[in-house]
Amino acid sequence: MSLLCTRLVALLACVIVAVVSANDEISGELVEQKLQIHPAGLEGDKYVVKANKAFRIACVYNDEDMENVHQLQWVNEDGKEIDTASSPNLFTIALHERGTHHKKRSLVFSKINSRDSGTYTCVANVNGEVTRRSIHVHIVGNIEWNEPRDVVGAMVGEPLTIDCGAKGNPSPEIEMTNEEGELLNDLADTYVVVDNEVTIDHLSKEYQNNKVRCLALQHIAEYATTSVEKHEITIDVWYEPEFETKEVNRHAIMGRSANIYCNVSSSNPPVSHFHFFKGTDEIDRDDETYEIIEDFESQTAVLKILSVDEEDLGTYRCEVNNGKAKSHQQIHLHTANPPNQVRVSLERARKHSITWRLVEDGSAEDEDLPVISYTIEYVRSQLLDDVDSSEEEPALNNEKLHRAEESVWKSHGSHVVRTKNPENLYEITGLVQNAEYVFRFSAQNEAGSGDSIEITARTHSEHHEELTAFSTCNIPSITLMLFLTWFFFRI
């Protein structure tokens, strides 16, 4: 009989345990429905967080019966409430969930560290019913990389080794990939991998800006997860400054200023110093006969000779340095003639534009430099007509008048520089209808600019087609000729 009673008691105990377990499961499901944690963690609401990072997690009360957000709180392992001002590094923020407007309280670690590891519980107290949901935070210490730099470099032709080794707790395993995620162990033709180091035996420009990704994998056994930290290193390939050609010829006009250009076509790092030499002597930047202008953004420098004489002709050397290597370019300065006065003819005129035909003077000699561009200046003739001369001596009047006219050209005139084209036609647009303009033309070659010529012309007042000039000249009487041509045309 006693044996039977013992068995009945044991059976009843099993039933009670089963019922309690079932109730616990139902209760757990209800808690998860009532209190939702965002973002979701690992199984069992576990979170693995890197030290010294910001970490934020929200607890949402997923029902309408909570009247005040203060009914929702976070507490630590000691049951101490974490409010909006607990500490600068740990506090909570009370909000309403977007869309549903359910009450929400976020737990915020502005800079989490190892002492923040532990259990945190979200507590909801509604109508005397208390609901809790806990999370478990595990802090993983920072990885200490053997190579902390984000960019490493070496000269072209030299070997480059990148150390991806790292220290941490737990001790990390290291993997190395390129930026596409391919393991460097599988790219033996490009990289040599030994332990945690990757080497390029012979660096070339093709490696510029290639990236090596160092991955530190830390296995967290108690959470059955792995923490991965990435350190991306960019390869910087250094090489000496380069020029399109190592030796160039430049030309200058005696008595005029001349520019000797030093243009670096490519350099890594960018050039940081320019130096000019004449023979073996460096040109002094304080020498008043020269001016040195540097533009590091465009990697260009100009040696300006203010007035060229015989002693300025010869060979110059521009030496450049980028902090890793230096190189130079030789510039041979020769004398040359300016272009002859340009030959101009009116091709056509319209309401708001005039087209000119510009050609080189046929008397140019074979050794003269070719014309490369034309400068076309223009101004309303009325502005020049309004310039009055003084009552002083004629010679002084002419000088003063010239200065006054040049002031008008400078303040009211427009100018364009047009590269020489095969058709020799150059259209000036944006002119005022039925207005008279004075045009000034000059030709440029590599050495400088030729003498200018002035011509007066008028735009149309009607919709009829253009006037074509039938003659060309380069003498001052062309102004009168064009005026008469326009006069008879308009009649």
Side-chain angles (χ1 to χ4, degrees):
M1 183 68 178
S2 59
L3 180 60
L4 178 60
C5 289
T6 301
R7 290 181 176 176
L8 286 174
V9 170
L11 178 60
L12 181 59
C14 289
V15 171
I16 291 172
V17 170
V19 171
V20 171
S21 298
N23 288 337
D24 286 345
E25 291 179 7
I26 294 172
S27 177
E29 292 176 1
L30 289 175
V31 169
E32 290 186 5
Q33 291 174 7
K34 280 278 189 179
L35 295 178
Q36 293 185 345
I37 302 295
H38 301 294
L42 302 171
E43 184 179 352
D45 287 339
K46 296 176 182 177
Y47 294 83
V48 176
V49 185
K50 280 288 184 180
N52 298 323
K53 305 292 185 182
F55 178 60
R56 179 171 178 162
I57 189 163
C59 178
V60 180
Y61 184 78
N62 194 28
D63 208 337
E64 307 289 343
D65 57 347
M66 179 176 283
E67 296 180 358
N68 194 304
V69 72
H70 294 295
Q71 296 172 269
L72 188 64
Q73 297 293 339
W74 282 97
V75 299
N76 61 17
E77 288 181 331
D78 299 328
K80 185 178 178 180
E81 186 177 295
I82 304 169
D83 58 24
T84 56
S86 290
S87 77
N89 292 328
L90 176 60
F91 53 90
T92 62
I93 300 175
L95 298 168
H96 289 83
E97 183 75 340
R98 184 178 299 175
T100 65
H101 296 287
H102 290 159
K103 307 300 185 293
K104 175 172 75 173
R105 188 173 288 274
S106 294
L107 180 65
V108 180
F109 299 84
S110 60
K111 190 176 182 181
I112 202 164
N113 54 57
S114 58
R115 68 172 179 269
D116 294 317
S117 290
T119 300
Y120 297 85
T121 303
C122 178
V123 181
N125 191 337
V126 180
N127 300 324
E129 181 182 335
V130 178
T131 307
R132 292 179 173 83
R133 185 166 179 183
S134 297
I135 64 168
H136 309 282
V137 178
H138 181 84
I139 310 303
V140 178
N142 286 327
I143 290 293
E144 183 181 340
W145 296 100
N146 293 351
E147 175 53 82
R149 294 176 296 176
D150 295 327
V151 179
V152 297
M155 289 294 295
V156 164
E158 294 181 352
L160 174 66
T161 297
I162 298 174
D163 186 354
C164 278
K167 299 174 184 177
N169 185 21
S171 182
E173 295 180 10
I174 302 299
E175 288 186 359
M176 292 171 285
T177 74
N178 60 14
E179 54 190 316
E180 284 78 32
E182 300 172 293
L183 289 172
L184 299 190
N185 288 318
D186 299 333
L187 303 174
D189 293 340
T190 309
Y191 303 98
V192 177
V193 177
V194 178
D195 295 330
N196 295 331
E197 293 184 342
V198 55
T199 299
I200 302 168
D201 288 331
H202 190 84
L203 201 60
S204 64
K205 290 183 179 180
E206 287 71 24
Y207 286 94
Q208 178 65 22
N209 291 326
N210 281 9
K211 293 177 173 56
V212 171
R213 287 179 179 169
C214 306
L215 304 175
L217 289 72
Q218 293 173 287
H219 300 289
I220 316 298
E222 60 185 294
Y223 280 29
T225 189
T226 299
S227 171
V228 180
E229 185 168 325
K230 178 180 72 174
H231 178 35
E232 189 168 84
I233 298 174
T234 300
I235 297 173
D236 194 18
V237 182
W238 307 326
Y239 52 91
E240 69 176 29
E242 298 174 350
F243 302 91
E244 289 188 3
T245 58
K246 296 291 286 184
E247 195 169 349
V248 295
N249 291 303
R250 293 287 181 259
H251 298 82
I253 299 169
M254 300 298 291
R256 295 191 187 180
S257 64
N259 292 331
I260 297 177
Y261 293 92
C262 181
N263 300 322
V264 177
S265 58
S266 182
S267 175
N268 190 40
V271 165
S272 53
H273 296 90
F274 288 89
H275 300 276
F276 286 93
F277 295 80
K278 177 72 185 300
T280 58
D281 299 325
E282 182 173 0
I283 293 176
D284 188 350
R285 293 174 182 266
D286 295 328
D287 191 331
E288 294 182 354
T289 59
Y290 302 101
E291 182 180 357
I292 297 177
I293 304 169
E294 296 169 320
D295 185 346
F296 292 103
E297 184 175 350
S298 62
Q299 294 286 275
T300 298
V302 181
L303 172 64
K304 186 172 185 177
I305 305 173
L306 300 183
S307 180
V308 176
D309 59 27
E310 288 288 344
E311 292 183 356
D312 293 314
L313 303 178
T315 299
Y316 293 79
R317 185 173 85 255
C318 173
E319 187 176 284
V320 295
N321 191 325
N322 64 10
K324 302 296 181 182
K326 62 182 181 181
S327 61
H328 69 272
Q329 182 185 52
Q330 282 193 328
I331 305 106
H332 306 289
L333 185 63
H334 308 278
T335 185
N337 295 321
N340 290 327
Q341 198 174 59
V342 62
R343 300 173 62 191
V344 183
S345 62
L346 178 66
E347 186 71 15
R348 54 181 173 268
R350 295 188 174 126
K351 289 172 60 178
H352 299 291
S353 67
I354 294 178
T355 300
W356 299 95
R357 182 179 294 276
L358 308 181
V359 296
E360 301 175 53
D361 192 310
S363 62
E365 299 180 5
D366 292 340
E367 63 270 17
D368 287 342
L369 297 173
V371 170
I372 56 177
S373 64
Y374 295 104
T375 296
I376 305 173
E377 303 170 271
Y378 53 97
V379 67
R380 293 282 294 274
S381 60
Q382 184 62 46
L383 295 172
L384 293 174
D385 293 340
D386 292 341
V387 176
D388 295 327
S389 61
S390 67
E391 298 297 330
E392 301 172 8
E393 293 297 323
L396 295 176
N397 285 346
N398 290 338
E399 181 181 349
K400 185 176 180 180
L401 179 61
H402 175 72
R403 289 200 303 267
E405 288 179 342
E406 286 302 313
S407 177
V408 171
W409 278 102
K410 184 176 181 179
S411 59
H412 298 286
S414 300
H415 84 279
V416 294
V417 178
R418 298 288 174 82
T419 302
K420 189 177 185 302
N421 64 56
E423 293 78 20
N424 296 321
L425 297 177
Y426 306 87
E427 183 180 22
I428 303 301
T429 60
L431 305 178
V432 176
Q433 178 182 343
N434 192 29
E436 188 174 79
Y437 287 85
V438 177
F439 288 82
R440 191 156 67 178
F441 305 89
S442 61
Q444 288 80 44
N445 61 19
E446 182 201 310
S449 182
D451 293 334
S452 63
I453 179 174
E454 290 186 7
I455 300 176
T456 301
R458 178 181 291 274
T459 54
H460 277 311
S461 60
E462 304 294 340
H463 292 286
H464 55 270
E465 288 303 315
E466 67 271 2
L467 166 72
T468 301
F470 296 96
S471 61
T472 64
C473 56
N474 60 355
I475 58 176
S477 62
I478 189 168
T479 299
L480 176 61
M481 181 196 74
L482 288 173
F483 175 78
L484 293 175
T485 303
W486 276 105
F487 177 80
F488 286 113
F489 177 77
R490 295 184 64 202
I491 292 176

